[in-house]
Amino acid sequence: MGFFDDLAMGFGAKPKTQDFKQRTAATIAKNKGGGAAGAAAAEKYLSDVGGSGLSFGNTPVGNLSNSGGQFQQPAPSSGGGYTSIADMFDGGGPGMAGAQFSNVPSGHLDTDGSGYISEMEYNAGGNSALDTQGGISSLSNKLGFRPLGSYEQERNLGSAGTNIGTSGLGDFLASGGMMGSFLNSGPTSLQLANPNMPQGATLDPGAVSVYDAKAEMAEPSLMEKLRLTPEFANPNPVNVTDNSSDNSSIAVVEPPKPVSPVVVSRQPAIHIAPTRQYAYGGIVSLGRR
């Protein structure tokens, strides 16, 4: 079963095989964190796709229970193929998830057995980690893209997590291009796992709280100043004062309406030569006599 076969079955171009359904169910269970919730979600998927008769949770799929507080990642299928379409984009190589992209099985880098290869684990792997990154995976890493779900995974690790983010072309696209860079006062949640912290910082809960508190007192962005964000959408809300429990006593105070400017019509000035002014003065003088 190859990459393009899985892709075709995922998009419905080919009928789903029993093996594909089992591997997809395993990935669903992994994404739900394993345990009873993961098993229930996977069973529902198998029921929806007509997976009757599949022995979910047995050897072909892997141990989907929560053992010792750590989810036991199913072993990659024979040949090291991807378990589902989602598995192709969540980093870590076939059957895994990770903070970086890999194109071959990389379970040896997962030192804590969580099924997710963190940024710290990739860095600790050294050349062994680089050997898992080739082809499109290597290109994606070099262009600065990050796998789907990697930000949330790093945040959930707490002190063992790293504030990973995009770089290069990936960062340019995540920021919204030139217009996004102009409107945003700093990194966005698409660029960093925690936009309030420096890239590469450890996501220690205490440090996260300090940086988040500082961000709340920061200067509003241009988007906020232009009132393009939801909290600034209505600068003059209606004030409602409830004086008692009786709804009839609710007083609605409307904001003052702007006063229309007074437009003064100006007639063009008439300029009269001095000699003509003297003549006009004489005529007026004779008329008054």
Side-chain angles (χ1 to χ4, degrees), residues 197-252:
M197 299 182 69
Q199 186 167 356
T202 301
L203 294 174
D204 179 76
V208 170
S209 299
V210 172
Y211 278 100
D212 287 347
K214 289 182 179 179
E216 292 180 0
M217 299 182 293
E219 178 74 11
S221 67
L222 182 58
M223 291 281 286
E224 294 170 339
K225 291 179 180 178
L226 295 177
R227 303 188 185 281
L228 298 179
T229 52
E231 61 268 25
F232 290 95
N234 186 8
N236 295 313
V238 176
N239 298 319
V240 179
T241 304
D242 189 357
N243 298 321
S244 69
S245 59
D246 185 7
N247 292 335
S248 62
S249 65
I250 296 179
V252 179

Side-chain angles (χ1 to χ4, degrees), residues 56-260:
F56 178 75
N58 288 344
T59 304
V61 180
N63 179 12
L64 298 170
S65 63
N66 227 348
S67 175
Q70 293 292 339
F71 172 70
Q72 301 302 307
Q73 173 68 23
S77 59
S78 58
Y82 289 95
T83 59
S84 68
I85 293 179
D87 189 32
M88 302 174 189
F89 301 99
D90 63 359
M96 301 288 291
Q100 300 178 25
F101 292 100
S102 295
N103 65 324
V104 297
S106 310
H108 61 284
L109 299 174
D110 183 23
T111 56
D112 61 1
S114 64
Y116 172 77
I117 306 173
S118 68
E119 183 77 354
M120 288 186 180
E121 289 174 327
Y122 264 111
N123 293 338
N127 292 332
S128 179
L130 294 177
D131 291 340
T132 68
Q133 301 171 346
I136 295 178
S137 297
S138 176
L139 181 62
S140 299
N141 291 327
K142 290 179 179 178
L143 290 179
F145 294 98
R146 286 289 180 175
L148 293 177
S150 58
Y151 287 178
E152 183 178 1
Q153 293 271 20
E154 291 290 332
R155 289 194 294 266
N156 292 339
L157 291 174
S159 300
T162 305
N163 192 30
I164 60 175
T166 54
S167 60
L169 178 62
D171 190 64
F172 177 77
L173 297 177
S175 69
M178 295 181 63
M179 185 58 68
S181 300
F182 174 73
L183 294 175
N184 298 318
S185 60
T188 68
S189 58
L190 295 177
Q191 295 174 272
L192 287 173
N194 187 327
N196 302 326
M197 299 182 69
Q199 186 167 356
T202 301
L203 294 174
D204 179 76
V208 170
S209 299
V210 172
Y211 278 100
D212 287 347
K214 289 182 179 179
E216 292 180 0
M217 299 182 293
E219 178 74 11
S221 67
L222 182 58
M223 291 281 286
E224 294 170 339
K225 291 179 180 178
L226 295 177
R227 303 188 185 281
L228 298 179
T229 52
E231 61 268 25
F232 290 95
N234 186 8
N236 295 313
V238 176
N239 298 319
V240 179
T241 304
D242 189 357
N243 298 321
S244 69
S245 59
D246 185 7
N247 292 335
S248 62
S249 65
I250 296 179
V252 179
V253 181
E254 296 289 345
K257 297 182 178 179
V259 180
S260 301

